[in-house]
């Protein structure tokens, strides 16, 4: 069998994490088996489907690296084909016209409610002569479903699942206005797209029984089903916005890398031993449905963030600089080539401490900030008159150094020893002056990245004017 999977979102909202995980599992399964992964936009709900949602789905899948192997299929455009299949079933005696009025259907619904059971159509037109149809009533087309025995699904995740056929009624295939129902459209599309494996959330499991009956009525082989447990919040409740049921675009805006989100979603419901960090290549090699669990997984922002920090440390410096550039320019204005170069050279020290691209951009801002650097409240408290005087002496000491981090640190240590101070007494005000913060990569590394002219300028901006005798003593030290 040549494996063909599909991801089939409805564009009535943005691509959320549950949908992204479904797409990922379909993509990985197809890649693992050397098959194809397709995309179908189920846009039959014309009132709720929007172009913005369609574009968001395309954008989110592309950002995650889950592009389909062929152009997307749009379900609504295939409505004539869906209706054709319904009429074929009617001609073969596997479906029938139903003329039940809205009042009759409401009667059935009320009776079912009073008896405490789900609403099921009672089949009153199943074997009735259409000649008895009331005048002027447009009929629907219903499937003539089996009424005895069971419908069985050998699900690749849930195992063997069955339903008594008596619990399923004759579902509508074609509405009175000639439009196809969701159930019919899905089955026809999956058949025509040659889908071999339907991998989706287990909230579709009940649909699978009806769809299996429809496959059999059409004389088609049903695909292999795999229904994945849904994602829950940390408290075990159904995933909601407060848990993280956000659009994929929200995670990008929060500064998560696509490879980190992919890795995290992979581990929500699937495992390979105790492995937590799984590359895309490993995921393709290892992924299969037998390792998908049957229990709901729990979304944990802390785990996602820790995983993201790992991928930030592993990412190329050039790529991260490009990733945070729009955020930096929004805060500091357009960057020149000097600022871009500083950003790239400073990235190793920056990314070691960041957990998201938002963190990284905030931490990197001091590299591209224009002079004079304005310290934050904590940093300003370090710039006492005494500290400013030390900064002036430090600037003089640095002027005779080769501009390398190790040389600058050695000069600072010498000055600290000569003045009877600790290195921290110089380094902390130095950090405040140069970065405007009390937290940064190693400060002498920062000075090297900034370059002689910029670093000395920032130090001198923050330093108090030095008296002549202090300048003479610094010169004597050199």
């Amino acid at each position: 069998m040549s494996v063909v999977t599909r991801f089939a979102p409805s564009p009535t909202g943005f691509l959320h994490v549950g949908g992204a995980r479904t797409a990922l599992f379909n993509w990985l399964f197809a890649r693992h088996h050397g098959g194809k992964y397709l995309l179908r936009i189920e846009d039959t709900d014309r009132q709720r489907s929007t172009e913005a949602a369609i574009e968001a789905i395309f954008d989110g899948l592309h950002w995650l690296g889950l592009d389909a192997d062929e152009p997307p299929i749009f379900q609504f455009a295939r409505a004539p084909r869906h209706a054709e299949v319904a009429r074929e079933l009617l001609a073969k005696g596997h479906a029938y016209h139903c003329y039940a009025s809205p009042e009759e259907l409401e009667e059935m619904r009320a009776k079912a409610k009073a008896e405490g059971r789900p609403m099921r159509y009672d089949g009153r037109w199943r074997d009735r002569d259409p000649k008895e149809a009331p005048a002027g009533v447009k009929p629907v087309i219903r499937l003539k479903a089996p009424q005895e025995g069971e419908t069985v699904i050998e699900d690749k995740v849930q195992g063997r699942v069955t339903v008594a056929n008596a619990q399923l009624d004759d579902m509508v295939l074609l509405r009175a206005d000639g439009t196809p129902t969701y159930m019919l459209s899905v089955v026809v599309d999956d058949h025509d797209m040659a889908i071999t494996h339907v991998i989706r959330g287990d909230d579709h499991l009940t649909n699978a029984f009806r769809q299996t009956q429809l496959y059999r009525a059409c004389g088609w082989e049903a695909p292999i089903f795999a229904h994945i447990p849904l994602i829950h919040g940390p408290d075990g409740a159904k995933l909601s916005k407060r848990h993280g049921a956000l659009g994929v675009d929200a995670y990008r805006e929060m500064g998560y890398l696509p490879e980190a989100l992919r890795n995290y979603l992979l581990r929500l419901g699937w495992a390979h031993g105790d492995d937590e960090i799984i590359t895309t290549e490993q995921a393709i090699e290892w992924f299969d449905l037998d390792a998908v669990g049957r229990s709901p997984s729990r979304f944990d922002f802390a785990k996602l963030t820790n995983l993201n920090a790992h991928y930030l440390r592993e990412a190329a410096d050039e790529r991260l600089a490009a990733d945070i550039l729009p955020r930096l320019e929004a805060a500091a204005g357009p960057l020149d080539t000097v600022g871009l170069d500083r950003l790239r050279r400073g990235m190793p020290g920056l990314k070691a401490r960041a957990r998201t691209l938002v963190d990284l951009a905030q931490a990197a801002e001091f590299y591209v900030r224009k002079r004079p650097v304005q310290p934050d409240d904590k940093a300003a408290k370090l710039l006492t008159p005494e500290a400013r005087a030390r900064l002036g002496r430090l600037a003089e000491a640095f002027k005779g150094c080769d501009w390398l981090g190790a040389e600058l640190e050695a000069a600072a240590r010498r000055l600290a020893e000569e003045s009877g101070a600790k290195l921290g007494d110089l380094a902390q005000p130095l950090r405040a002056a140069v970065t405007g913060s009390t937290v940064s990569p190693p400060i002498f590394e920062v000075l090297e990245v900034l370059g002689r002219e910029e670093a000395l300028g920032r130090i001198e901006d923050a330093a108090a004017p030095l008296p002549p005798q202090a300048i003479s003593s610094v010169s004597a030290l050199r």
Side-chain angles (χ1 to χ4, degrees), residues 160-428:
R160 185 183 178 88
V161 286
T162 65
V163 66
N165 289 332
Q167 294 181 7
L168 303 175
D169 60 4
D170 294 344
M171 65 176 170
V172 175
L173 302 178
L174 208 62
R175 300 181 184 92
D177 63 1
T179 59
T181 60
Y182 168 79
M183 289 291 192
L184 175 64
S185 299
V186 167
V187 168
V188 176
D189 286 347
D190 281 344
H191 171 264
D192 289 0
M193 292 168 70
I195 302 301
T196 61
H197 293 74
V198 171
I199 304 168
R200 59 190 179 186
D202 64 7
D203 52 334
H204 286 279
L205 183 57
T206 54
N207 290 343
F209 294 113
R210 294 182 179 276
Q211 290 164 3
T212 297
Q213 291 182 346
L214 185 48
Y215 272 104
R216 290 172 182 167
C218 291
W220 300 335
E221 184 178 352
I224 295 168
F225 290 106
H227 289 91
I228 309 162
L230 301 182
I231 302 172
H232 286 185
D235 56 1
K238 184 179 178 182
L239 192 66
S240 63
K241 285 187 178 180
R242 67 188 174 88
H243 295 127
L246 308 170
V248 165
D249 59 314
Y251 291 89
R252 177 166 49 181
E253 189 60 31
M254 287 187 284
Y256 292 101
L257 297 178
E259 58 267 41
L261 187 56
R262 268 202 320 266
N263 189 157
Y264 183 68
L265 292 176
L266 173 63
R267 292 287 288 108
L268 284 179
W270 178 89
H272 184 271
D274 294 327
D275 292 295
E276 293 289 342
I277 308 296
I278 301 173
T279 66
T280 300
E281 293 73 24
Q282 288 172 327
I284 291 171
E285 180 185 350
W286 296 340
F287 186 85
D288 219 334
L289 296 172
D290 56 0
V292 176
R294 294 188 187 182
S295 300
S297 47
R298 298 194 178 194
F299 195 92
D300 187 330
F301 257 117
K303 286 185 178 180
L304 170 59
T305 303
N306 288 338
L307 198 59
N308 199 65
H310 165 81
Y311 279 99
L312 278 174
R313 292 191 294 271
E314 296 293 312
D317 297 340
E318 289 274 348
R319 177 256 180 110
L320 292 179
D323 281 347
I324 66 171
L325 184 59
R327 299 174 192 269
L328 286 174
E329 291 192 328
L335 267 62
D336 56 20
T337 54
V338 174
L340 286 170
D341 182 60
R342 279 190 210 133
L343 193 58
R344 286 189 284 264
R345 289 192 296 115
M347 193 56 68
L350 292 168
K351 70 184 184 181
R353 292 161 177 78
R355 303 203 304 163
T356 68
L357 290 175
V358 172
D359 294 344
L360 189 62
Q362 290 172 346
E365 193 178 330
F366 75 86
Y367 273 132
V368 300
R369 197 178 293 169
K370 304 296 183 186
R371 289 175 51 201
V373 173
Q374 295 300 319
D376 62 28
D377 291 343
K378 285 186 178 180
K381 289 177 181 177
L382 295 174
L383 296 174
T384 62
E386 182 183 8
R388 290 177 182 274
R390 284 175 174 159
L391 287 174
R393 293 191 288 272
L394 198 55
E396 289 300 316
F398 283 162
K399 287 176 183 177
C401 294
D402 290 334
W403 207 260
L404 299 170
E407 291 284 328
L408 297 168
E409 182 176 356
R413 287 186 182 280
R414 287 195 299 270
L415 185 59
E417 288 172 8
E418 289 292 332
S419 59
K422 297 178 182 178
L423 180 61
D425 295 333
L426 275 69
Q428 280 296 82

